[in-house]
Amino acid sequence: MRTPAMRMPLRVLLGWLSFVIGLGLAVAAAQVAEAYGFQREAIQIILAVVTTGVSVPLIYLLRKYADRKPWSGLGLSSPPQGLAYLLKGAGLLLLSTGITLLTGLVFGWIKVVGVQIPAETLLAMMINLLIAFFYEAFPEELAFRGYIFQNLNTKLPSWLALITQVLLFILAPLAIIAGLVAAGIGSWDAVTWEYVLTLAVFGTALQLSRILSGNLWMCIGYHLAWLEMVRYIVVPDSGAIIEVEYLSRNGYYLIHIGTIVLSIIILLVWSRRGKLRPLNWMSKAADD
């Protein structure tokens, strides 16, 4: 007789732990590597390899043996099929960034110091894209917007599953920080209201991308574009593609939080106009 699937709350907890354990081990490995004098690039590779190397296989095992459901139910199509969605997600972020940047200029909150395309920056972006994919975008989206949300949504309506996913998304880095603090090698200084708010709206935008497109690659594309934007594209740094100066704190909030909020609005508009799936807050996912 076939063993029944685990209960949903336990599956969600194990999915959350799969990511937290993977990220926690990656951070611990990076701390050790740094203590032994490893270069920054090597440390980043360690973070990427360990996070994906631990989290993704655990999610796969959970889907197969705890859920007893096909992998396809998580919304992760093959890369060729997902390319259009990946580009749509990246395009959404770039569109939102462009609008908020222009808004900041109009209100005098932001000043564009220079626009250039340094070869060094392009090379750094190409390298960082690969690292960011395996360290952040892929394992996070698979765990939270894929596995955790899918399980939540089989029992909860979409609106409640989304909120629960966002709360779990916020708790993940807080759990890692708590572990570092307990080990005496971390602090709570990075946990500010801006950080928590950014995680909340970011998790919402990413989950809406998954719900309205039905494909995790849109989330991954948006996630990667966001990481590149805040590191290399619109940055108060001489090596940025668009070097900016924040003349007001409002300019910083506009780019780092307003861009994501605008993305949420655009997603909802696209849904209403038929460019994405219609949104039904009360719908539940098929348990497959």
Side-chain angles (χ1 to χ4, degrees):
M1 181 179 295
R2 188 178 183 184
T3 305
M6 290 182 183
R7 293 185 178 275
M8 183 272 284
L10 180 57
R11 299 199 306 266
V12 169
L13 175 61
L14 291 175
W16 183 81
L17 285 173
S18 295
F19 178 77
V20 171
I21 290 170
L23 181 58
L25 289 175
V27 172
Q31 294 275 354
V32 173
E34 186 176 9
Y36 278 92
F38 280 55
Q39 296 297 316
R40 178 174 176 271
E41 292 77 11
I43 292 174
Q44 290 181 322
I45 293 173
I46 290 171
L47 287 168
V49 170
V50 175
T51 304
T52 286
V54 174
S55 297
V56 174
L58 287 176
I59 293 294
Y60 176 81
L61 292 173
L62 283 175
R63 187 63 178 168
K64 184 173 182 179
Y65 296 108
D67 296 32
R68 297 191 177 277
K69 301 296 179 182
W71 184 256
S72 58
L74 301 185
L76 188 69
S77 63
S78 66
Q81 293 176 329
L83 179 59
Y85 290 100
L86 185 143
L87 295 176
K88 183 176 288 188
L92 170 62
L93 188 279
L94 294 176
L95 173 63
S96 302
T97 302
I99 294 172
T100 54
L101 180 59
L102 289 174
T103 303
L105 291 171
V106 170
F107 281 93
W109 296 341
I110 299 171
K111 176 183 177 182
V112 174
V113 178
V115 178
Q116 59 272 318
I117 307 180
E120 296 84 357
T121 300
L122 291 179
L123 178 61
M125 287 180 65
M126 291 175 62
I127 295 172
N128 185 257
L129 269 174
L130 188 61
I131 292 173
F133 178 85
F134 289 106
Y135 173 42
E136 297 161 289
F138 181 58
E140 280 187 22
E141 298 315 309
L142 182 63
F144 289 97
R145 267 61 68 175
Y147 185 82
I148 290 174
F149 178 80
Q150 178 68 18
N151 275 283
L152 288 168
N153 198 207
T154 58
K155 302 296 182 183
L156 305 177
S158 293
W159 71 270
L160 186 54
L162 185 150
I163 291 173
T164 306
Q165 174 275 133
V166 169
L167 292 175
L168 291 171
F169 181 55
I170 294 171
L171 285 174
L174 298 184
I176 301 298
I177 293 172
L180 293 174
V181 171
I185 54 176
S187 73
W188 292 102
D189 293 346
V191 182
T192 62
W193 72 266
E194 294 103 324
Y195 176 71
V196 174
L197 179 59
T198 300
L199 287 177
V201 294
F202 194 47
T204 300
L206 289 165
Q207 194 63 73
L208 276 175
S209 297
R210 163 74 169 88
I211 293 171
L212 297 177
S213 71
N215 198 299
L216 273 181
W217 285 105
M218 185 167 179
C219 310
I220 294 170
Y222 185 93
H223 199 143
L224 285 173
W226 164 258
L227 294 173
E228 297 307 295
M229 188 273 288
V230 297
R231 291 170 181 171
Y232 301 104
I233 300 177
V234 181
V235 187
D237 184 273
S238 59
I241 291 177
I242 302 176
E243 182 183 356
V244 297
E245 179 183 348
Y246 294 118
L247 303 177
S248 165
R249 191 67 177 170
N250 291 336
Y252 176 85
Y253 296 146
L254 182 65
I255 295 297
H256 288 259
I257 298 176
T259 294
I260 308 173
V261 173
L262 180 59
S263 297
I264 294 172
I265 295 172
I266 293 173
L267 282 168
L268 295 176
V269 171
W270 282 355
S271 175
R272 289 291 298 272
R273 293 187 175 182
K275 295 182 178 181
L276 292 171
R277 292 179 173 182
L279 180 61
N280 181 354
W281 287 114
M282 298 306 297
S283 66
K284 293 183 180 179
D287 194 8
D288 57 14

